[in-house]
Amino acid sequence: SFNGNFRWVLLCVAIFTLGNSTDAFIVLLAQARGASVLGTLVMVLIFNGVYTVLAQPFGNLSDKIGRYKLIIGGWLFYGVVYLGFALSSTMWQVAAMWALYGVYYAMTDGAVKALVADLTPKPQRGTGYGWLNGTIGIMALPASFLAGILWQVWGPAAPFFFGAALAGLAVLLLLRLRGATHVVEA
């Protein structure tokens, strides 16, 4: 019973998520580029710090400029960061990309959830969030499975190139919808 805009957003989220494998591949990449266990933990802490500091400002920006603009910008930023991971050759490059990955996460995490609230009537919001989280959960397993195959067959850069490509596809699909959408009245 959800409108077509909500279903289209779920499709875009599914495609994006298929290219967003587990962050364990970033850990493996960091180790492949020479990071120690301690160095990897520091990178994770920096990622979380960046996300924590920027989540609220990006949430405010989402309220001002709109969810679609922020999600599209965030997914494009993700694509650039994933290209950075793919092209990295040193631990420090991976560390810089991982910090920037926190920016992507801060841009999109709250905006996608707010978009669900925008596109679903109040009595169906819980179900809408269930569909969002179910879609992400269902796509997470094949995303990581594909990333593992890509890593094994074509090397550590392959899953990151794949993730960047799917982020670009999800952006193109979301751009198709952006102009035609409206906020559902509560």
Side-chain angles (χ1 to χ4, degrees):
S1 64
F2 290 110
N3 70 39
N5 294 339
F6 178 73
R7 290 191 299 266
W8 190 260
V9 166
L10 284 181
L11 173 66
C12 294
V13 167
I15 290 168
F16 177 82
T17 303
L18 188 59
N20 188 5
S21 58
T22 177
D23 292 347
F25 285 100
I26 302 173
V27 171
L28 291 172
L29 183 67
Q31 291 174 344
R33 302 295 186 250
S36 66
V37 173
L38 180 60
T40 303
L41 290 174
V42 169
M43 289 181 218
V44 171
L45 287 172
I46 292 170
F47 159 80
N48 282 302
V50 168
Y51 170 70
T52 300
V53 168
L54 295 179
Q56 189 208 1
F58 278 122
N60 292 338
L61 186 61
S62 169
D63 293 337
K64 289 179 184 165
I65 69 167
R67 320 292 183 220
Y68 288 101
K69 288 179 184 175
L70 197 58
I71 294 166
I72 287 167
W75 285 358
L76 287 172
F77 191 77
Y78 169 94
V80 170
V81 169
Y82 256 47
L83 286 175
F85 281 131
L87 298 172
S88 70
S89 59
T90 67
M91 174 189 65
W92 299 110
Q93 292 167 338
V94 173
M97 290 300 107
W98 214 340
L100 293 174
Y101 187 62
V103 175
Y104 137 76
Y105 206 83
M107 290 175 78
T108 61
D109 188 45
V112 170
K113 292 171 185 167
L115 185 59
V116 169
D118 292 346
L119 294 177
T120 56
K122 193 172 188 177
Q124 292 183 298
R125 288 210 179 118
T127 305
Y129 285 117
W131 274 102
L132 173 68
N133 290 315
T135 299
I136 292 168
I138 288 168
M139 298 309 290
L141 178 62
S144 294
F145 182 74
L146 283 170
I149 291 171
L150 291 168
W151 182 292
Q152 286 298 110
V153 175
W154 287 288
F160 298 101
F161 282 126
F162 180 71
L166 285 188
L169 176 60
V171 164
L172 290 175
L173 292 173
L174 196 57
L175 282 169
R176 261 190 76 199
L177 176 67
R178 189 178 73 133
T181 58
H182 64 281
V183 175
V184 173
E185 295 299 320

